[in-house]
Amino acid sequence: GFYSYEADDVALIGNKYTDNIYYGIDPHDHSHRLIIANNEVSGTKQRHGIIGSRDVSHSYIFGNSSHDNKLAGIMLDRDCNNNVLIQNSSYNNGSDGISIYESHHNLIAANRVYSNQHHGIRFRNSLDVTMRDNVILQNVRYGVYGHLSDLTASYDPNSDHEPRDLKLDPYE
């Protein structure tokens, strides 16, 4: 699909990402002020449809359809702050519709999140996540699931993550 590293001011608009191996759309480390709009992402084989990871911040993700992916439809992971996710559809994914991990000050509004195999919207170790006017229905687990998790814990087969070395991958 799409991958970026330390990219600023990139716009991905009106594209179709189908049957990619690892991710459909993957802006990564320190990418800022992105617009990801009106794309269709489906059939990602190993991971998420749309993911921002490690300080993908001050960005807009709107009007996308993310469906039938191996894990989450849309994910913000590790210090992805001050983003707006609005009017997306995320459905039939193998995990959550929308996942927010260790990311703060994000707005999730007017999305349609349904028929996902885990939760509709899930947030972990995240502050100031605003959710409004979303349609969340028929997900296998909770509609909205927020929780804390010890990221340094030893391997636990019931955990949703592997232990993290906070020296190599810091998080407070």
Side-chain angles (χ1 to χ4, degrees), residues 34-48:
L34 310 176
I35 297 174
I36 300 170
N38 301 325
N39 299 289
E40 180 179 359
V41 182
S42 65
T44 301
K45 305 293 184 213
Q46 293 182 14
R47 294 286 184 167
H48 314 290

Side-chain angles (χ1 to χ4, degrees), residues 134-170:
N134 296 289
V135 175
I136 305 166
L137 53 95
Q138 297 179 328
N139 297 287
V140 172
R141 296 185 183 170
Y142 295 104
V144 176
Y145 180 62
H147 65 106
L148 298 174
S149 185
D150 180 359
L151 301 180
T152 61
S154 300
Y155 178 74
D156 175 358
N158 298 318
S159 176
D160 63 341
H161 69 279
E162 296 175 14
R164 187 175 296 171
D165 181 341
L166 294 179
K167 289 182 181 176
L168 295 174
D169 193 7

Side-chain angles (χ1 to χ4, degrees), residues 100-118:
I100 310 292
Y101 287 2
E102 293 77 56
S103 297
H104 312 299
H105 317 295
N106 291 295
L107 172 63
I108 303 169
N111 297 286
R112 294 175 39 93
V113 184
Y114 58 95
S115 300
N116 295 291
Q117 291 302 305
H118 287 180

Side-chain angles (χ1 to χ4, degrees), residues 81-92:
N81 304 319
N82 301 297
N83 295 294
V84 175
L85 283 72
I86 191 167
Q87 295 181 337
N88 299 288
S89 293
S90 185
Y91 58 93
N92 292 339

